[in-house]
Short mmCIF file of all heavy atoms in Angstrom, two decimals:
data_model
loop_
_atom_site.label_atom_id
_atom_site.label_comp_id
_atom_site.label_asym_id
_atom_site.label_seq_id
_atom_site.Cartn_x
_atom_site.Cartn_y
_atom_site.Cartn_z
N GLY A 42 307.64 219.88 -193.80
CA GLY A 42 309.03 219.58 -193.48
C GLY A 42 309.27 218.10 -193.64
O GLY A 42 308.41 217.34 -194.11
N TYR A 43 310.43 217.64 -193.18
CA TYR A 43 310.78 216.24 -193.41
C TYR A 43 309.84 215.30 -192.67
O TYR A 43 309.47 214.25 -193.20
CB TYR A 43 312.22 215.94 -192.97
CG TYR A 43 313.08 217.16 -192.86
CD1 TYR A 43 313.41 217.72 -191.63
CD2 TYR A 43 313.52 217.79 -194.01
CE1 TYR A 43 314.17 218.84 -191.53
CE2 TYR A 43 314.29 218.95 -193.92
CZ TYR A 43 314.62 219.47 -192.68
OH TYR A 43 315.36 220.61 -192.59
N VAL A 44 309.45 215.67 -191.46
CA VAL A 44 308.59 214.78 -190.67
C VAL A 44 307.20 214.68 -191.29
O VAL A 44 306.66 213.60 -191.49
CB VAL A 44 308.51 215.24 -189.21
CG1 VAL A 44 307.50 214.41 -188.42
CG2 VAL A 44 309.88 215.16 -188.54
N GLY A 45 306.61 215.83 -191.61
CA GLY A 45 305.29 215.82 -192.22
C GLY A 45 305.27 215.06 -193.53
O GLY A 45 304.36 214.24 -193.79
N LEU A 46 306.26 215.30 -194.38
CA LEU A 46 306.33 214.58 -195.66
C LEU A 46 306.55 213.09 -195.45
O LEU A 46 305.98 212.26 -196.16
CB LEU A 46 307.46 215.16 -196.52
CG LEU A 46 307.22 216.58 -197.07
CD1 LEU A 46 308.50 217.14 -197.67
CD2 LEU A 46 306.10 216.57 -198.11
N ALA A 47 307.38 212.72 -194.45
CA ALA A 47 307.63 211.31 -194.18
C ALA A 47 306.37 210.60 -193.72
O ALA A 47 306.10 209.46 -194.12
CB ALA A 47 308.74 211.15 -193.14
N VAL A 48 305.55 211.27 -192.88
CA VAL A 48 304.28 210.68 -192.46
C VAL A 48 303.40 210.40 -193.68
O VAL A 48 302.85 209.31 -193.85
CB VAL A 48 303.54 211.61 -191.48
CG1 VAL A 48 302.12 211.11 -191.23
CG2 VAL A 48 304.29 211.72 -190.16
N ALA A 49 303.26 211.41 -194.54
CA ALA A 49 302.39 211.28 -195.70
C ALA A 49 302.87 210.19 -196.65
O ALA A 49 302.09 209.34 -197.11
CB ALA A 49 302.32 212.63 -196.43
N VAL A 50 304.17 210.19 -196.94
CA VAL A 50 304.73 209.20 -197.86
C VAL A 50 304.63 207.79 -197.30
O VAL A 50 304.29 206.84 -198.01
CB VAL A 50 306.20 209.57 -198.20
CG1 VAL A 50 306.91 208.42 -198.92
CG2 VAL A 50 306.25 210.83 -199.05
N ALA A 51 304.90 207.63 -196.01
CA ALA A 51 304.86 206.30 -195.39
C ALA A 51 303.45 205.72 -195.42
O ALA A 51 303.25 204.54 -195.72
CB ALA A 51 305.38 206.37 -193.96
N ILE A 52 302.45 206.54 -195.09
CA ILE A 52 301.07 206.05 -195.08
C ILE A 52 300.61 205.71 -196.48
O ILE A 52 300.05 204.63 -196.74
CB ILE A 52 300.13 207.10 -194.44
CG1 ILE A 52 300.43 207.22 -192.94
CG2 ILE A 52 298.67 206.73 -194.66
CD1 ILE A 52 299.68 208.35 -192.25
N ARG A 53 300.86 206.60 -197.42
CA ARG A 53 300.40 206.39 -198.79
C ARG A 53 301.12 205.23 -199.46
O ARG A 53 300.52 204.50 -200.26
CB ARG A 53 300.60 207.67 -199.58
CG ARG A 53 300.15 207.63 -201.01
CD ARG A 53 298.65 207.69 -201.18
NE ARG A 53 298.31 207.78 -202.59
CZ ARG A 53 297.09 207.85 -203.08
NH1 ARG A 53 296.06 207.87 -202.25
NH2 ARG A 53 296.88 207.93 -204.38
N SER A 54 302.42 205.04 -199.15
CA SER A 54 303.17 203.92 -199.73
C SER A 54 302.55 202.59 -199.33
O SER A 54 302.47 201.66 -200.14
CB SER A 54 304.62 203.96 -199.26
OG SER A 54 305.29 205.09 -199.74
N ALA A 55 302.13 202.49 -198.06
CA ALA A 55 301.59 201.22 -197.55
C ALA A 55 300.12 201.04 -197.87
O ALA A 55 299.64 199.92 -198.02
CB ALA A 55 301.81 201.14 -196.04
N ARG A 56 299.37 202.15 -197.96
CA ARG A 56 297.92 202.07 -198.19
C ARG A 56 297.51 203.05 -199.30
O ARG A 56 297.03 204.16 -199.04
CB ARG A 56 297.15 202.40 -196.90
CG ARG A 56 297.45 201.48 -195.75
CD ARG A 56 297.03 200.04 -196.02
NE ARG A 56 295.59 199.85 -195.91
CZ ARG A 56 294.97 198.73 -196.25
NH1 ARG A 56 295.67 197.72 -196.78
NH2 ARG A 56 293.67 198.61 -196.10
N PRO A 57 297.70 202.65 -200.56
CA PRO A 57 297.35 203.55 -201.67
C PRO A 57 295.88 203.91 -201.71
O PRO A 57 295.50 204.88 -202.38
CB PRO A 57 297.75 202.73 -202.91
CG PRO A 57 298.72 201.70 -202.41
CD PRO A 57 298.31 201.39 -201.01
N ASN A 58 295.05 203.15 -200.99
CA ASN A 58 293.62 203.45 -200.96
C ASN A 58 293.29 204.68 -200.12
O ASN A 58 292.21 205.27 -200.25
CB ASN A 58 292.84 202.27 -200.39
CG ASN A 58 293.27 201.93 -198.96
OD1 ASN A 58 294.43 201.59 -198.74
ND2 ASN A 58 292.37 202.03 -198.00
#
Side-chain angles (χ1 to χ4, degrees):
Y43 340 104
V44 174
L46 291 169
V48 171
V50 168
I52 291 173
R53 181 75 174 181
S54 295
R56 300 296 284 172
N58 60 298

